[in-house]
Each structure stands twice: as structure tokens, then as C-alpha cells.
Amino acid sequence: MAGSSESSSVPFLVTVVTNVFPVAAVFALGWDAEMLAVVYVVELLVAVPFAGLKALFAAQPPDYEELTRPKEPGRFKSDDREGTSVGPSELNRRRGSVGVVDWLPPVYPRNASFVTGWFGTVVTLSAVFVAVLGQSVDVLATLTEPTVAASTVSLVVSHVAVIERQYFRERQYETVTPQDVVEAATGEAGVAAAVFLVASGVGPTGAVVVFAAVKLYGEWLSYRGESLTGDDREPGELPPVSVPKTVPTAVVRPNGRAVVAAALWRGVEPAIKFLPGFALVWGALTRASAAGPLVALACFGLGPALVVGLRAVEYWLTHGTLAYQRRGDTIIAYDELTETPQWSVPVDELQRVELRSRHLADRLFDTRTFTIRPLGAEYDHEITHVEEYERAVEAFELPVAAASLGRLDWRAVGATVGLAVGVVTAAGWTLTRAPSAAVFLVAFGSPLSLVVFRWMWRQGVPQTRVDVE
């Protein structure tokens, strides 16, 4: 046992030395604090996307109790803009896995939401670090220094090597949940960002001290078997799906174009919400005016496009791979990607059927989205973007009235479109007069405008709900 304890102390002692030495070198040897601070930022941020990729292969299910934990007492979490109580998102409850290549373990679609979440984490952390460091450091110029570039490449190579050895070869992926993987990478960065927000203006030397202290604290907790998040969770467990051993008598699939359109539209909202973060990063990095256009392209072109793309993939995995079947007296949602039944509801146990009439894609492609709630259930199931909705109503014995979309209130729709045109026109005019100020005005005003647009759209689109007696 003594040998084991001694052996486990070596990595911790190495980490102490590697983090204390740069701090001492800044004060005693005159090392460049600006460069060290940027290298620390790069190190923390590089770990996040690798954690997202690792989470795809995490074999243990997430903690479903945590995913359903409400922010307000007495209310379920919702992944729906219309307030449907769906507990964890359908994708987080997805059963089954998919083999991609022979030399890698299977990928679990249920972990995709944790993967897409890493980008938002990177944007938020980058906004904090760059905005604070940008007060005293030319971040973009420092990033282009050969030493920093070489450090970035070294970090990427070391992450790849560690993942290959520890995560895959030693089969660590078999024992972890996606939450564990992501939080292990974001814990130190999150604590450092919180310190930066409280103590902004610390300067490059203070930043190096903060980063080193947070890393040492994280390593000390890891050495003691604890974590920065303080969470000790068990893998989640889903109830078994009861599937009759009969062939399907009816199969209804989503319309592919409607799913893609809804997926892209679903990605627009988070892209807009991230605009303030992109704007802060842009403002801090454009101190090097020669690189201004490239920074603007990255922050307001590639960044939002990546957000939309990631969320669109998540939405497609949630709804685009399902086929809705009738087997005996039961409605089955069958994932054709993982070839696994996802949920089942006996027809005679339907308690409520609701038409999600506010889906813009359903109106564009003449499809329907239903939510159904079984008797005694705490959350709803969805039947999304089906083109053969009349067949679905008949095969699944849904109330006929639920298949009829209500008429739009064109006054509310016209007001929404008019307001949108006015906002875009005003933003364009402001950008031509005072570009720098307008960027921040548009970036921080867009999320507020989105709330107004959504409220106005809800006023113009009726909602249909049928309680089954």
C-alpha cells in the first residue's frame, strides 16, 4: 500500500512543480507573463472540445434525476419552448449505440447533447478570459507568437495521446458518464473564469497566479479523489420498454425536409444567444486592426454557423431517425439508427394528446407534431413532423380534432414580420454610422428581440389540446 501511495503522489508532485515554477520564474527570472497567461488560457480551452468528443463514447448513462431537476419547485425541466413537461430531452433518453469504425468503441447518440454543449462552454469561457486579459494583453498578437503556437500544437498532441492511452486502450470509457467527462474538463476553467469575473483587471501577472492556483487546487482535489464540481453521481437507469412481439401493422416516419428545416431553425436561437459572447471576444481581439476582418468572420460568421450546425445535428438525432409504429395495441417509437425501441404507449392508456401547432416547419411542409401523455406519466412523448398525419391519427387512434391546424392570426404574424424588418433595418443603419458601437448594440439587443418575437408568434398561432376521456 505504501508503494501505491507513493506512486500516486508522483503525478501530483510533478503538477505542483510545473505550475509553481512558471509563477516563480515570472517574479524571479522576468519571464513573459503575457505569454504564459495566454498559454494557460489555451490549455484550459483546448481541453473542452476533447472532453466533448470523449463524451460521445461514455458507456454509462447520464444522471437522469439531475437532468429532470427543476430550477423552480414543482416544475419539470423542459426542452420545449411551449412549456411541455418532457423531463430530460428525448435525446438524453435515447437507448442504443452505433458502431462507427472497428477500431473505436460504439458512439451513444444520447450523449450528443453533451458534445454540442462544449461549444457554448468554449464561447462563454473565451469571452470571460479574453475580455479580462484584453484589458492589458494584446491577445491576438500573443496567440501568433511561435512559442504560443508551438505550445498549442503540443497540447493538442498530448491530449490525443492521453485519450488514446487512458480513455480507449485502458477502456476508461466503459466506466464514466458523459457528465463526468465534460465536467472534469470544464471544472478548472469554470473556477478560473469565476475568479476573473470577480477580480477583473488583475493583469497578466495576476492572471498567471490565478491560473496556477486554480490548477493546483484542482489537482489537489483530484489527488484526494474529489472534484471541483463536488458532485458524486451514479449512472442513470431507464425503465424497460415493453414491446409486443408482433410485426408492425403501421409505420409512420418524419418528413426529412421538415426535420432539417426545424433543426436549422432550432439552431438559430442559441446562435443569437451567444452573440454577446462572440461580441466580447471580437472586441478584445480586434486590438490588432490588421486582423480585424478575419476576427469578425470567425466571431460573427463561422462561430454562429457552427452553433447552428451542432444544434441542428442534435435535433436531427432526436427526431429524424425515429419511426413510429403500431404493434398490437401499442404505439412504439423505434430508432432506425440504433435499431432499438425507445418508448411505448398502449393506445388505451393515452391521457392527453396535444398538437404542437407552433412549429414553423410543420406549416411550411404540411406536417404535424403531436405530444402524447400516457396515464400516470410525468412527461410527454413526441411524434414529430409526420407527413402522413391522417394515417397516424387513424393507426394510433388519436382524437381526430388533434390533426387540424388552427388558423393563424395574421395580425400578430404581420406585426412579428414588421418588427423583424424594422429591427434589421435599424441595425443596418447603425452599423453604417458607428460600426464598433453598433456591433455591441446588435449583439446584446438580439437576444431581447428574440424574446419579443417569440411572444408575438405565440399570440398569432393557436394551440390545440385534447384530453382523452
Side-chain angles (χ1 to χ4, degrees):
M1 293 295 291
S4 175
S5 174
E6 202 174 295
S7 173
S8 65
S9 302
V10 173
F12 173 68
L13 293 176
V14 171
T15 303
V16 171
V17 173
T18 55
N19 283 279
V20 170
F21 178 75
V23 176
V26 167
F27 288 101
L29 304 177
W31 279 22
D32 190 340
E34 294 185 2
M35 187 176 297
L36 280 174
V38 173
V39 169
Y40 268 119
V41 169
V42 171
E43 180 182 359
L44 291 173
L45 295 182
V46 162
V48 179
F50 278 103
L53 293 176
K54 286 168 59 179
L56 274 177
F57 303 94
Q60 297 300 314
D63 183 350
Y64 295 109
E65 182 179 349
E66 178 179 314
L67 294 174
T68 55
R69 192 172 299 143
K71 294 181 180 179
E72 301 175 21
R75 296 190 63 183
F76 282 100
K77 250 185 181 178
S78 173
D79 68 350
D80 178 354
R81 291 166 174 74
E82 297 171 11
T84 304
S85 298
V86 292
S89 74
E90 295 285 352
L91 189 58
N92 285 334
R93 291 199 299 270
R94 188 57 48 91
R95 294 170 166 86
S97 60
V98 181
V100 181
V101 291
D102 294 337
W103 47 274
L104 281 177
V107 170
Y108 294 84
R110 66 169 177 245
N111 299 340
S113 58
F114 296 94
V115 178
T116 57
W118 71 258
F119 189 76
T121 302
V122 169
V123 172
T124 303
L125 294 174
S126 298
V128 174
F129 291 143
V130 174
V132 174
L133 284 179
Q135 299 176 21
S136 55
V137 178
D138 190 338
V139 178
L140 191 60
T142 307
L143 282 171
T144 58
E145 290 285 341
T147 304
V148 177
S151 299
T152 303
V153 173
S154 175
L155 287 169
V156 170
V157 172
S158 65
H159 272 289
V160 171
V162 170
I163 290 173
E164 191 277 332
R165 184 181 70 254
Q166 295 183 355
Y167 197 68
F168 290 131
R169 193 186 304 173
E170 297 179 7
R171 308 176 76 89
Q172 188 184 69
Y173 63 88
E174 294 181 346
T175 61
V176 295
T177 69
Q179 292 153 309
D180 295 333
V181 174
V182 173
E183 289 182 1
T186 59
E188 290 182 2
V191 172
V195 173
F196 268 55
L197 286 173
V198 174
S200 59
V202 293
T205 302
V208 171
V209 173
V210 168
F211 284 131
V214 170
K215 286 188 68 64
L216 287 173
Y217 180 59
E219 290 295 332
W220 168 245
L221 291 179
S222 177
Y223 174 68
R224 298 179 57 185
E226 303 174 12
S227 68
L228 278 170
T229 60
D231 293 327
D232 184 16
R233 54 173 73 86
E234 295 292 329
E237 185 176 352
L238 291 172
V241 179
S242 178
V243 180
K245 296 181 178 180
T246 59
V247 297
T249 55
V251 179
V252 180
R253 292 181 174 84
N255 178 284
R257 294 179 301 166
V259 173
V260 171
L264 293 174
W265 181 248
R266 181 62 65 94
V268 169
E269 180 177 347
I272 292 175
K273 288 182 177 179
F274 283 132
L275 283 180
F278 287 127
L280 290 174
V281 174
W282 170 82
L285 293 180
T286 48
R287 293 181 62 183
S289 57
L294 291 178
V295 174
L297 176 63
C299 291
F300 302 115
L302 298 180
L306 187 54
V307 173
V308 172
L310 289 172
R311 291 303 176 92
V313 170
E314 182 180 343
Y315 189 87
W316 181 81
L317 287 173
T318 305
H319 302 292
T321 63
L322 293 179
Y324 305 100
Q325 305 174 349
R326 172 72 182 261
R327 298 192 187 187
D329 293 328
T330 305
I331 304 171
I332 308 290
Y334 185 83
D335 188 352
E336 296 183 318
L337 180 64
T338 62
E339 299 181 344
T340 310
Q342 299 302 316
W343 53 260
S344 64
V345 177
V347 172
D348 58 1
E349 292 186 13
L350 288 178
Q351 178 183 2
R352 188 176 75 193
V353 177
E354 187 170 321
L355 175 65
R356 298 280 301 282
S357 56
R358 293 177 179 138
H359 268 300
L360 181 61
D362 285 340
R363 293 187 176 271
L364 292 176
F365 296 96
D366 193 27
T367 56
R368 300 291 186 272
T369 295
F370 306 99
T371 60
I372 58 176
R373 175 169 294 191
L375 286 171
E378 297 176 334
Y379 51 80
D380 299 332
H381 297 297
E382 290 187 320
I383 301 174
T384 54
H385 307 303
V386 291
E387 186 173 16
E388 299 177 292
Y389 52 87
E390 293 181 351
R391 186 183 177 200
V393 167
E394 180 181 356
F396 305 148
E397 299 183 25
L398 304 178
V400 176
S404 176
L405 284 174
R407 297 180 61 184
L408 292 174
D409 184 343
W410 289 104
R411 295 170 300 177
V413 174
T416 303
V417 174
L419 180 60
V421 171
V423 169
V424 172
T425 302
W429 181 85
T430 308
L431 284 169
T432 61
R433 295 288 186 267
S436 297
V439 166
F440 289 98
L441 180 64
V442 172
F444 284 87
S446 294
L448 178 60
S449 300
L450 186 66
V451 174
V452 177
F453 292 146
R454 188 190 306 154
W455 179 84
M456 295 181 69
W457 174 254
R458 289 169 62 91
Q459 306 312 304
V461 182
Q463 187 77 343
T464 303
R465 169 176 163 177
V466 176
D467 291 315
V468 182
E469 298 181 356

